[in-house]
Amino acid sequence: LQLPPRATESSLPSPSGPTAAFTMEEVKTPGAMEEEDKVYVPGSPEDLARFFAKVKTTESDALSAKHLDWGWKVLGPEDGAALAHVIFKNKTCITLDLFVNEIFEEAGVAVGKALASNMVLKSLDLQQAQVGVPGAKAIAAALKANIPLMNLKMHYNHLGPEGVGAIAEALKTNDKLTN
């Protein structure tokens, strides 16, 4: 929010009006940009650095870990490329927990596409990730590739009949997934 020239706190609309109340400390100076306001190119070094800071680990540790517990990390759609990077590059991780992160459809698709080339992951927890139909279809395509995934949790993802159908169809040919 930028104030017009010569505006003062006392000349602003009252909190009872249509404008929300705020203090002068909340007004950003022109050109100032908060960290959360920055825009990153998905998958760029800056984006990956932002992601690894968010999950409180280094890229090296994330790419060599056997178990990644990133549940409840407030991951979102902006984290799809970084998640795909880890799933694609980590050749030792057997358990990836992403439960209760609302990554939504686009990131769900990125996860599904990366999953198709991962030959080590055994367990993936996407409960409450909100991957929707597009994410379910991408994950179904990975399951059709008969990846070694044995455990997949997808409760509360708004898959609908179409997404559930895609997963069910994939399970007709997948002989690894048991749970």
Side-chain angles (χ1 to χ4, degrees), residues 72-172:
W72 293 90
K73 293 287 185 188
V74 194
L75 302 180
E78 70 279 5
D79 299 312
L83 287 169
H85 171 78
V86 171
I87 293 168
F88 184 76
K89 297 273 188 176
N90 184 312
K91 304 300 181 198
T92 59
C93 186
I94 59 172
T95 304
L96 177 56
D97 291 327
L98 298 172
F99 55 88
V100 193
N101 284 296
E102 294 183 338
I103 63 172
F104 293 102
E105 294 176 355
E106 186 176 329
V109 169
V111 165
K113 287 180 178 179
L115 194 58
S117 63
N118 184 299
M119 294 298 135
V120 295
L121 194 63
K122 304 278 188 226
S123 181
L124 176 60
D125 189 342
L126 285 169
Q127 293 180 83
Q128 297 183 22
Q130 314 304 339
V131 299
V133 173
K137 286 182 174 181
I139 291 165
L143 292 173
K144 284 181 181 178
N146 213 25
I147 57 174
L149 195 67
M150 297 182 337
N151 182 39
L152 175 63
K153 295 181 182 178
M154 293 190 65
H155 305 61
Y156 309 107
N157 268 286
H158 302 286
L159 304 181
E162 191 177 355
V164 171
I167 298 285
E169 187 63 31
L171 293 178
K172 289 179 181 178

Side-chain angles (χ1 to χ4, degrees), residues 63-81:
L63 296 182
S64 62
K66 263 187 113 163
H67 306 280
L68 291 169
D69 184 2
W70 290 340
W72 293 90
K73 293 287 185 188
V74 194
L75 302 180
E78 70 279 5
D79 299 312

